Amino acid sequence: MKAVVSHDTKDFYYEESIPVITKDQKRDYTFPIYNLLVILDLSSNSLAGQIPEEISLLIGLTNLNLSNNELTGAIPNQIGDLRQLDSLDLSFNEFSVSIPSSLSALTYLSHLNLSYNNLSGAIPSGQQLQALDNQMYIFIGNHGLCGDPVGRNCSTHDVEQSGLKDIDHMPSVYLAMSIGFVVGLWTVFCTMLMKRTWRAAFFQFIDMTYDMVYVQVAVRWARMMEKIQDGAP
């Protein structure tokens, strides 16, 4: 069985009951029960994991506070179905990815706090979101966000993020080059140890190079000394 709720000329379909198992006993909570829940405050409870998509069933919520926990993942797009929300606080968690555009559909929203997460991308536009007070405070602590409220141009910010990713890869490149150099050097060294003819040829080449460089330096030094002596009074 399903119940149909009409709100703002749009129909939403919800299950008539929610099965909950407690102490090996299954209980069905019918639609009017969870429809009456208007305030849900689970802040500062060390909650971890992601917000379940089923939160959209709590259509009567006006106040949702999940701040100061260890929640991760993306903010579910289904939060936009909670059309009665007046206050939403998801601050001080570890939410990532972008802010769902569905938040702009919360026409009753008067308080929003998404500060100090790992959110990134463009901040959704919408008359309701733009009308909220303390725009900077709402999004503070999310260094990956861009848009008017945080004063970062999204096109410029994307270029900066791309550059930072390239910089992050540089240590790996240097490490690979170092490993390649060491492996190549040891390969040559071990080969010379195993083959006498190669070893003899290598040292002969070193001696020839040394003699050639020594002769060139000695000749140039002698010519320079002659010029200095000729120029002396």
Side-chain angles (χ1 to χ4, degrees), residues 38-219:
V38 294
I39 296 177
L40 180 60
D41 189 343
L42 298 176
S43 59
S44 304
N45 276 288
S46 301
L47 299 176
Q50 301 183 3
I51 298 178
E53 296 179 356
E54 289 77 8
I55 196 170
S56 61
L57 296 174
L58 305 176
I59 59 173
L61 277 182
T62 61
N63 189 317
L64 176 60
N65 188 351
L66 301 177
S67 64
N68 199 25
N69 282 293
E70 300 172 11
L71 298 172
T72 59
I75 299 173
N77 194 57
Q78 288 78 2
I79 280 188
D81 294 337
L82 304 178
R83 300 300 178 86
Q84 302 296 322
L85 271 184
D86 176 69
S87 175
L88 175 62
D89 192 342
L90 302 178
S91 61
F92 291 96
N93 279 286
E94 299 175 15
F95 292 114
S96 57
V97 198
S98 58
I99 299 174
S101 58
S102 62
L103 289 185
S104 59
L106 300 177
T107 55
Y108 291 101
L109 194 64
S110 62
H111 174 77
L112 175 65
N113 191 351
L114 302 178
S115 61
Y116 298 101
N117 281 284
N118 298 315
L119 298 169
S120 60
I123 297 174
S125 59
Q127 293 184 353
Q128 189 63 28
L129 293 181
Q130 304 301 326
L132 296 175
D133 296 330
N134 300 321
Q135 290 284 315
M136 285 295 296
Y137 179 75
I138 292 174
F139 307 106
I140 193 172
N142 294 280
H143 302 296
L145 289 177
C146 60
D148 291 336
V150 295
R152 283 193 290 267
N153 184 278
C154 286
S155 58
T156 304
H157 182 68
D158 291 341
V159 173
E160 292 176 352
Q161 291 297 315
S162 178
L164 290 176
K165 290 180 180 178
D166 293 339
I167 293 175
D168 291 339
H169 291 313
M170 290 305 294
S172 301
V173 174
Y174 289 138
L175 179 61
M177 291 174 60
S178 301
I179 293 175
F181 175 77
V182 172
V183 171
L185 184 62
W186 271 101
T187 301
V188 174
F189 180 72
C190 293
T191 303
M192 288 193 303
L193 287 178
M194 296 175 63
K195 290 186 175 291
R196 171 183 271 178
T197 55
W198 286 26
R199 186 166 66 252
F202 174 75
F203 287 113
Q204 184 179 5
F205 172 76
I206 295 296
D207 291 338
M208 291 177 59
T209 303
Y210 172 78
D211 293 340
M212 187 166 32
V213 172
Y214 177 79
V215 171
Q216 291 291 332
V217 172
V219 171

